[in-house]
Amino acid sequence: ASTNFFVLNDFLDEIGFVHWAKGLGDAFLFPELMRLADPSKSASSYMGRLFERAGVEKSRKEVFHSLRGGQIEDMRDAGVNPRDSRFQSGHAIGVDEHEGYGYKTITETRARELARLPLNPSIDYSVFRDLDFAKMAKRKRTMGRQRQP
């Protein structure tokens, strides 16, 4: 339950995700996940199963948590201030005493820079352009496998 904000890439606005999410008001984005005893552990397990079904090579480098590591590398490559990168990644600041001073969140100027960071060019993001977020959110997860016709 972080009290700091997270900067979303402008691409999520372009594809309509931000508009849809704002329309939810104060509701959780993933309400079924929030009903579980340990939402973060369950989300990681669920994403692991999705990675497996998608054929993502199973190794220590290709797990759900590696998405964070990849983003940290991308921010490093883009020259993002290390303190801002730590805020964006949800890591603690304060590698040394000097870094603990100043704003306790990313400034508006830096947030705009993060929002505009180029996405990884080796990934095809076009599959996300026509998603119907409202329709997807209405679907309920079921236990076990769905019967195939």
Side-chain angles (χ1 to χ4, degrees), residues 35-75:
R35 285 184 266 235
L36 301 173
D38 188 347
S40 64
K41 181 179 178 184
S42 299
S44 184
S45 298
Y46 177 67
M47 291 303 292
R49 289 190 298 276
L50 286 177
F51 275 32
E52 187 176 320
R53 284 190 355 222
V56 174
E57 187 176 319
K58 199 169 193 173
S59 71
R60 294 187 77 178
K61 293 180 181 177
E62 300 298 336
V63 295
F64 178 57
H65 191 75
S66 67
L67 293 173
R68 178 189 270 184
Q71 179 60 25
I72 291 168
E73 280 296 320
D74 288 347
M75 287 188 286

Side-chain angles (χ1 to χ4, degrees), residues 53-129:
R53 284 190 355 222
V56 174
E57 187 176 319
K58 199 169 193 173
S59 71
R60 294 187 77 178
K61 293 180 181 177
E62 300 298 336
V63 295
F64 178 57
H65 191 75
S66 67
L67 293 173
R68 178 189 270 184
Q71 179 60 25
I72 291 168
E73 280 296 320
D74 288 347
M75 287 188 286
R76 195 175 290 141
D77 290 347
V80 171
N81 177 298
R83 188 172 190 265
D84 295 334
S85 178
R86 281 195 273 295
F87 276 131
Q88 180 71 347
S89 303
H91 291 147
I93 59 165
V95 170
D96 63 33
E97 188 173 321
H98 183 77
E99 284 197 7
Y101 288 90
Y103 291 109
K104 300 300 182 202
T105 60
I106 298 170
T107 65
E108 182 178 349
T109 300
R110 296 265 175 77
R112 291 181 190 282
E113 290 171 4
L114 285 171
R116 294 182 187 119
L117 281 179
L119 296 174
N120 186 325
S122 66
I123 298 173
D124 177 10
Y125 295 96
S126 65
V127 297
F128 299 102
R129 293 220 177 260

